[in-house]
Amino acid sequence: MPSPTGRRVLAHTALWPAPDTDKAVFAKMVEKVRVMVMSFLATQREDAELRFWVRTSGEVGPMRDALRLAGVSGEQQVVFRAFEAIDIVKPGSAERIDVGWVLNVQQASRLPRALDVARYMMLDAYGGIWLDADTVVLRELSPLVGLAFGYTTDWNDQSNFWQKMGVTPAPWLHGQFVNNAVIGVEREGSCLTQELLARVAEKQQTFGSYFEFGPFLFMNMTENSFHPVPGCFFEPASASEGLDPALLAPPVEELFEETAQSAQHASMLQSGMASFTYHWHNRWDEDFAPGSAFAILANDLNQRLR
């Protein structure tokens, strides 16, 4: 068996704009996702693969062109796939999910829930690691290969929040919020994805809250069905007494703004000394200033991957 740092990385991501997404906003989304893809190529070994999922085969070419990867070092490591052609090759819970139901979501408010289900189906069919498109990859992901995990964080006033939403987290998670922005499974057809999809299948024709098939579903999974990895592995600290400022990530609200610390923050995001990822939490419609940490990072990645 290869060592944890010698395992081949297979990762999945997707960009599925809602039907009513403004063209200008979508252009911003593509530019931001391009940085995510470039960060993957800059940090992973040559045998790593990033599967970029669109909804239909007709969207493959336009998305590939929009991301402008031609001539980028490692471009062959990004493989575009259409979800409508997903292979459900193993018997089990995935057979109970209607692919058309996942694809034909017409309301923007329902889109996150459809993508939650889609990622479980991708992982169930092929294994690997899921990366939300609003992440930046900071370091080699191979230590996570073969691990069934989600990452946990605390929310302020979380007890009141859960009560308001009518959710009771499983006792074994000790009130932790589970984020499925980055998740992994040990293999295709894993116990984790089978349980997730079985629970989805029971209510796939209904919709509850925004988090119905994401954090809320994860927070009520069977004990030991996945490893609850501390959030610091995926959301690096942006403020901490006694921590070297060079190791501090940009606060999410400052990532796209030009500040006195922008250059330092961009350097930290490329240092390989912190978390596996940086998650910037759905700030899709925000412009990024030319001197922001995000813009500096984008420029540096373009230079490195020429």
Side-chain angles (χ1 to χ4, degrees), residues 139-167:
R139 64 190 303 172
E140 170 67 51
L141 298 172
S142 59
L144 299 173
V145 172
L147 179 69
F149 72 89
Y151 77 88
T152 62
T153 58
D154 289 312
W155 272 11
N156 293 331
D157 299 323
Q158 58 186 17
S159 295
N160 291 334
F161 177 80
W162 303 141
Q163 290 173 6
K164 182 178 179 180
M165 300 301 294
V167 175

mmCIF file of all heavy atoms in Angstrom, residues 139-167:
data_model
loop_
_atom_site.group_PDB
_atom_site.id
_atom_site.type_symbol
_atom_site.label_atom_id
_atom_site.label_comp_id
_atom_site.label_asym_id
_atom_site.label_seq_id
_atom_site.Cartn_x
_atom_site.Cartn_y
_atom_site.Cartn_z
ATOM 1 N N ARG A 139 -2.255 23.158 -0.635
ATOM 2 C CA ARG A 139 -1.158 22.209 -0.506
ATOM 3 C C ARG A 139 -1.586 20.846 -1.055
ATOM 4 O O ARG A 139 -2.740 20.625 -1.387
ATOM 5 C CB ARG A 139 -0.710 22.086 0.949
ATOM 6 C CG ARG A 139 -1.765 21.530 1.887
ATOM 7 C CD ARG A 139 -1.363 21.660 3.343
ATOM 8 N NE ARG A 139 -0.081 21.010 3.604
ATOM 9 C CZ ARG A 139 0.571 21.102 4.760
ATOM 10 N NH1 ARG A 139 0.081 21.839 5.738
ATOM 11 N NH2 ARG A 139 1.707 20.463 4.945
ATOM 12 N N GLU A 140 -0.623 19.933 -1.101
ATOM 13 C CA GLU A 140 -0.850 18.580 -1.589
ATOM 14 C C GLU A 140 -1.974 17.901 -0.816
ATOM 15 O O GLU A 140 -2.002 17.918 0.424
ATOM 16 C CB GLU A 140 0.459 17.792 -1.444
ATOM 17 C CG GLU A 140 0.357 16.321 -1.679
ATOM 18 C CD GLU A 140 0.026 15.984 -3.112
ATOM 19 O OE1 GLU A 140 0.714 16.498 -4.023
ATOM 20 O OE2 GLU A 140 -0.933 15.221 -3.303
ATOM 21 N N LEU A 141 -2.910 17.292 -1.548
ATOM 22 C CA LEU A 141 -4.087 16.675 -0.939
ATOM 23 C C LEU A 141 -3.934 15.176 -0.685
ATOM 24 O O LEU A 141 -4.832 14.553 -0.102
ATOM 25 C CB LEU A 141 -5.316 16.898 -1.827
ATOM 26 C CG LEU A 141 -5.751 18.348 -2.066
ATOM 27 C CD1 LEU A 141 -6.848 18.403 -3.120
ATOM 28 C CD2 LEU A 141 -6.215 19.004 -0.776
ATOM 29 N N SER A 142 -2.826 14.580 -1.088
ATOM 30 C CA SER A 142 -2.693 13.127 -0.994
ATOM 31 C C SER A 142 -2.848 12.565 0.420
ATOM 32 O O SER A 142 -3.326 11.432 0.566
ATOM 33 C CB SER A 142 -1.364 12.668 -1.601
ATOM 34 O OG SER A 142 -0.266 13.259 -0.957
ATOM 35 N N PRO A 143 -2.490 13.303 1.498
ATOM 36 C CA PRO A 143 -2.741 12.733 2.829
ATOM 37 C C PRO A 143 -4.215 12.471 3.132
ATOM 38 O O PRO A 143 -4.533 11.720 4.051
ATOM 39 C CB PRO A 143 -2.165 13.795 3.779
ATOM 40 C CG PRO A 143 -1.115 14.492 2.979
ATOM 41 C CD PRO A 143 -1.679 14.544 1.588
ATOM 42 N N LEU A 144 -5.117 13.079 2.358
ATOM 43 C CA LEU A 144 -6.549 12.899 2.584
ATOM 44 C C LEU A 144 -7.132 11.739 1.775
ATOM 45 O O LEU A 144 -8.279 11.344 1.997
ATOM 46 C CB LEU A 144 -7.303 14.179 2.212
ATOM 47 C CG LEU A 144 -6.952 15.442 3.006
ATOM 48 C CD1 LEU A 144 -7.650 16.658 2.404
ATOM 49 C CD2 LEU A 144 -7.326 15.279 4.472
ATOM 50 N N VAL A 145 -6.359 11.207 0.833
ATOM 51 C CA VAL A 145 -6.864 10.154 -0.040
ATOM 52 C C VAL A 145 -7.172 8.896 0.776
ATOM 53 O O VAL A 145 -6.373 8.467 1.618
ATOM 54 C CB VAL A 145 -5.847 9.833 -1.146
ATOM 55 C CG1 VAL A 145 -6.285 8.606 -1.951
ATOM 56 C CG2 VAL A 145 -5.677 11.033 -2.076
ATOM 57 N N GLY A 146 -8.346 8.331 0.550
ATOM 58 C CA GLY A 146 -8.739 7.113 1.253
ATOM 59 C C GLY A 146 -9.396 7.349 2.597
ATOM 60 O O GLY A 146 -9.697 6.391 3.313
ATOM 61 N N LEU A 147 -9.658 8.619 2.928
ATOM 62 C CA LEU A 147 -10.267 8.957 4.215
ATOM 63 C C LEU A 147 -11.693 9.447 3.986
ATOM 64 O O LEU A 147 -11.924 10.336 3.160
ATOM 65 C CB LEU A 147 -9.451 10.048 4.909
ATOM 66 C CG LEU A 147 -9.958 10.542 6.268
ATOM 67 C CD1 LEU A 147 -9.793 9.468 7.322
ATOM 68 C CD2 LEU A 147 -9.196 11.815 6.685
ATOM 69 N N ALA A 148 -12.649 8.887 4.694
ATOM 70 C CA ALA A 148 -14.024 9.386 4.667
ATOM 71 C C ALA A 148 -14.118 10.524 5.686
ATOM 72 O O ALA A 148 -13.956 10.299 6.882
ATOM 73 C CB ALA A 148 -15.014 8.284 5.006
ATOM 74 N N PHE A 149 -14.348 11.739 5.218
ATOM 75 C CA PHE A 149 -14.311 12.876 6.135
ATOM 76 C C PHE A 149 -15.228 14.004 5.678
ATOM 77 O O PHE A 149 -15.609 14.120 4.513
ATOM 78 C CB PHE A 149 -12.874 13.414 6.257
ATOM 79 C CG PHE A 149 -12.386 14.152 5.029
ATOM 80 C CD1 PHE A 149 -12.586 15.525 4.888
ATOM 81 C CD2 PHE A 149 -11.718 13.479 4.009
ATOM 82 C CE1 PHE A 149 -12.142 16.208 3.764
ATOM 83 C CE2 PHE A 149 -11.261 14.145 2.874
ATOM 84 C CZ PHE A 149 -11.483 15.517 2.750
ATOM 85 N N GLY A 150 -15.594 14.833 6.641
ATOM 86 C CA GLY A 150 -16.152 16.156 6.441
ATOM 87 C C GLY A 150 -15.463 17.030 7.455
ATOM 88 O O GLY A 150 -14.830 16.523 8.382
ATOM 89 N N TYR A 151 -15.554 18.334 7.332
ATOM 90 C CA TYR A 151 -14.863 19.156 8.330
ATOM 91 C C TYR A 151 -15.839 19.940 9.190
ATOM 92 O O TYR A 151 -16.919 20.313 8.761
ATOM 93 C CB TYR A 151 -13.797 20.035 7.701
ATOM 94 C CG TYR A 151 -14.221 21.287 6.966
ATOM 95 C CD1 TYR A 151 -14.385 22.495 7.647
ATOM 96 C CD2 TYR A 151 -14.377 21.291 5.580
ATOM 97 C CE1 TYR A 151 -14.712 23.664 6.973
ATOM 98 C CE2 TYR A 151 -14.687 22.449 4.890
ATOM 99 C CZ TYR A 151 -14.866 23.632 5.592
ATOM 100 O OH TYR A 151 -15.194 24.784 4.916
ATOM 101 N N THR A 152 -15.443 20.135 10.428
ATOM 102 C CA THR A 152 -16.328 20.717 11.422
ATOM 103 C C THR A 152 -15.888 22.117 11.813
ATOM 104 O O THR A 152 -14.707 22.452 11.799
ATOM 105 C CB THR A 152 -16.378 19.852 12.690
ATOM 106 O OG1 THR A 152 -15.062 19.796 13.269
ATOM 107 C CG2 THR A 152 -16.846 18.443 12.378
ATOM 108 N N THR A 153 -16.883 22.930 12.150
ATOM 109 C CA THR A 153 -16.619 24.280 12.645
ATOM 110 C C THR A 153 -17.669 24.603 13.700
ATOM 111 O O THR A 153 -18.750 23.995 13.741
ATOM 112 C CB THR A 153 -16.688 25.343 11.536
ATOM 113 O OG1 THR A 153 -17.978 25.298 10.923
ATOM 114 C CG2 THR A 153 -15.619 25.118 10.479
ATOM 115 N N ASP A 154 -17.373 25.591 14.535
ATOM 116 C CA ASP A 154 -18.357 26.104 15.492
ATOM 117 C C ASP A 154 -19.027 27.324 14.887
ATOM 118 O O ASP A 154 -18.394 28.128 14.203
ATOM 119 C CB ASP A 154 -17.672 26.520 16.801
ATOM 120 C CG ASP A 154 -17.202 25.312 17.586
ATOM 121 O OD1 ASP A 154 -17.991 24.377 17.747
ATOM 122 O OD2 ASP A 154 -16.033 25.315 18.029
ATOM 123 N N TRP A 155 -20.300 27.470 15.138
ATOM 124 C CA TRP A 155 -21.014 28.679 14.762
ATOM 125 C C TRP A 155 -21.384 29.449 16.018
ATOM 126 O O TRP A 155 -21.750 28.868 17.038
ATOM 127 C CB TRP A 155 -22.296 28.325 14.005
ATOM 128 C CG TRP A 155 -22.100 28.174 12.534
ATOM 129 C CD1 TRP A 155 -20.924 28.114 11.845
ATOM 130 C CD2 TRP A 155 -23.134 28.038 11.557
ATOM 131 N NE1 TRP A 155 -21.146 27.944 10.519
ATOM 132 C CE2 TRP A 155 -22.494 27.900 10.310
ATOM 133 C CE3 TRP A 155 -24.520 28.019 11.629
ATOM 134 C CZ2 TRP A 155 -23.209 27.749 9.128
ATOM 135 C CZ3 TRP A 155 -25.227 27.864 10.444
ATOM 136 C CH2 TRP A 155 -24.587 27.741 9.214
ATOM 137 N N ASN A 156 -21.310 30.771 15.931
ATOM 138 C CA ASN A 156 -21.753 31.600 17.054
ATOM 139 C C ASN A 156 -23.253 31.391 17.289
ATOM 140 O O ASN A 156 -24.035 31.278 16.336
ATOM 141 C CB ASN A 156 -21.492 33.081 16.755
ATOM 142 C CG ASN A 156 -20.010 33.386 16.699
ATOM 143 O OD1 ASN A 156 -19.214 32.739 17.356
ATOM 144 N ND2 ASN A 156 -19.640 34.382 15.899
ATOM 145 N N ASP A 157 -23.627 31.317 18.536
ATOM 146 C CA ASP A 157 -25.035 31.109 18.912
ATOM 147 C C ASP A 157 -25.616 29.883 18.228
ATOM 148 O O ASP A 157 -26.777 29.868 17.824
ATOM 149 C CB ASP A 157 -25.875 32.342 18.545
ATOM 150 C CG ASP A 157 -25.408 33.589 19.281
ATOM 151 O OD1 ASP A 157 -25.017 33.468 20.462
ATOM 152 O OD2 ASP A 157 -25.428 34.663 18.666
ATOM 153 N N GLN A 158 -24.790 28.841 18.090
ATOM 154 C CA GLN A 158 -25.229 27.691 17.308
ATOM 155 C C GLN A 158 -26.451 26.997 17.909
ATOM 156 O O GLN A 158 -27.309 26.517 17.166
ATOM 157 C CB GLN A 158 -24.093 26.695 17.140
ATOM 158 C CG GLN A 158 -23.503 26.164 18.448
ATOM 159 C CD GLN A 158 -22.294 25.286 18.178
ATOM 160 O OE1 GLN A 158 -21.724 25.318 17.101
ATOM 161 N NE2 GLN A 158 -21.916 24.500 19.162
ATOM 162 N N SER A 159 -26.561 26.958 19.220
ATOM 163 C CA SER A 159 -27.718 26.292 19.821
ATOM 164 C C SER A 159 -29.022 26.966 19.395
ATOM 165 O O SER A 159 -29.995 26.304 19.034
ATOM 166 C CB SER A 159 -27.595 26.296 21.343
ATOM 167 O OG SER A 159 -26.484 25.527 21.758
ATOM 168 N N ASN A 160 -29.047 28.301 19.445
ATOM 169 C CA ASN A 160 -30.236 29.030 19.017
ATOM 170 C C ASN A 160 -30.512 28.808 17.540
ATOM 171 O O ASN A 160 -31.666 28.698 17.107
ATOM 172 C CB ASN A 160 -30.076 30.525 19.292
ATOM 173 C CG ASN A 160 -30.085 30.825 20.777
ATOM 174 O OD1 ASN A 160 -30.650 30.084 21.567
ATOM 175 N ND2 ASN A 160 -29.455 31.923 21.163
ATOM 176 N N PHE A 161 -29.446 28.750 16.743
ATOM 177 C CA PHE A 161 -29.605 28.543 15.303
ATOM 178 C C PHE A 161 -30.242 27.190 15.024
ATOM 179 O O PHE A 161 -31.196 27.075 14.257
ATOM 180 C CB PHE A 161 -28.249 28.645 14.608
ATOM 181 C CG PHE A 161 -28.304 28.367 13.126
ATOM 182 C CD1 PHE A 161 -28.716 29.351 12.246
ATOM 183 C CD2 PHE A 161 -27.951 27.128 12.622
ATOM 184 C CE1 PHE A 161 -28.777 29.102 10.881
ATOM 185 C CE2 PHE A 161 -28.003 26.868 11.258
ATOM 186 C CZ PHE A 161 -28.420 27.866 10.386
ATOM 187 N N TRP A 162 -29.695 26.138 15.653
ATOM 188 C CA TRP A 162 -30.233 24.798 15.414
ATOM 189 C C TRP A 162 -31.695 24.719 15.858
ATOM 190 O O TRP A 162 -32.530 24.110 15.183
ATOM 191 C CB TRP A 162 -29.418 23.745 16.169
ATOM 192 C CG TRP A 162 -27.956 23.679 15.874
ATOM 193 C CD1 TRP A 162 -26.955 23.468 16.777
ATOM 194 C CD2 TRP A 162 -27.299 23.797 14.600
ATOM 195 N NE1 TRP A 162 -25.729 23.462 16.150
ATOM 196 C CE2 TRP A 162 -25.921 23.661 14.821
ATOM 197 C CE3 TRP A 162 -27.747 24.017 13.307
ATOM 198 C CZ2 TRP A 162 -24.994 23.729 13.794
ATOM 199 C CZ3 TRP A 162 -26.827 24.097 12.273
ATOM 200 C CH2 TRP A 162 -25.472 23.951 12.519
ATOM 201 N N GLN A 163 -32.006 25.342 16.990
ATOM 202 C CA GLN A 163 -33.377 25.312 17.478
ATOM 203 C C GLN A 163 -34.317 26.008 16.500
ATOM 204 O O GLN A 163 -35.413 25.523 16.211
ATOM 205 C CB GLN A 163 -33.456 25.975 18.854
ATOM 206 C CG GLN A 163 -32.774 25.156 19.958
ATOM 207 C CD GLN A 163 -32.713 25.915 21.273
ATOM 208 O OE1 GLN A 163 -33.269 26.999 21.407
ATOM 209 N NE2 GLN A 163 -32.020 25.341 22.252
ATOM 210 N N LYS A 164 -33.871 27.137 15.965
ATOM 211 C CA LYS A 164 -34.690 27.885 15.017
ATOM 212 C C LYS A 164 -34.946 27.071 13.752
ATOM 213 O O LYS A 164 -36.049 27.106 13.183
ATOM 214 C CB LYS A 164 -34.007 29.207 14.675
ATOM 215 C CG LYS A 164 -34.802 30.091 13.731
ATOM 216 C CD LYS A 164 -34.079 31.404 13.479
ATOM 217 C CE LYS A 164 -34.876 32.287 12.517
ATOM 218 N NZ LYS A 164 -34.177 33.574 12.256
ATOM 219 N N MET A 165 -33.934 26.331 13.299
ATOM 220 C CA MET A 165 -34.056 25.542 12.075
ATOM 221 C C MET A 165 -34.661 24.164 12.320
ATOM 222 O O MET A 165 -34.894 23.407 11.380
ATOM 223 C CB MET A 165 -32.673 25.374 11.428
ATOM 224 C CG MET A 165 -31.994 26.678 11.046
ATOM 225 S SD MET A 165 -32.962 27.675 9.884
ATOM 226 C CE MET A 165 -32.941 26.632 8.430
ATOM 227 N N GLY A 166 -34.923 23.831 13.599
ATOM 228 C CA GLY A 166 -35.521 22.549 13.915
ATOM 229 C C GLY A 166 -34.583 21.375 13.733
ATOM 230 O O GLY A 166 -35.016 20.275 13.392
ATOM 231 N N VAL A 167 -33.288 21.617 13.954
ATOM 232 C CA VAL A 167 -32.279 20.573 13.746
ATOM 233 C C VAL A 167 -31.614 20.224 15.072
ATOM 234 O O VAL A 167 -31.243 21.107 15.840
ATOM 235 C CB VAL A 167 -31.201 21.039 12.742
ATOM 236 C CG1 VAL A 167 -30.090 20.000 12.637
ATOM 237 C CG2 VAL A 167 -31.823 21.284 11.377
#
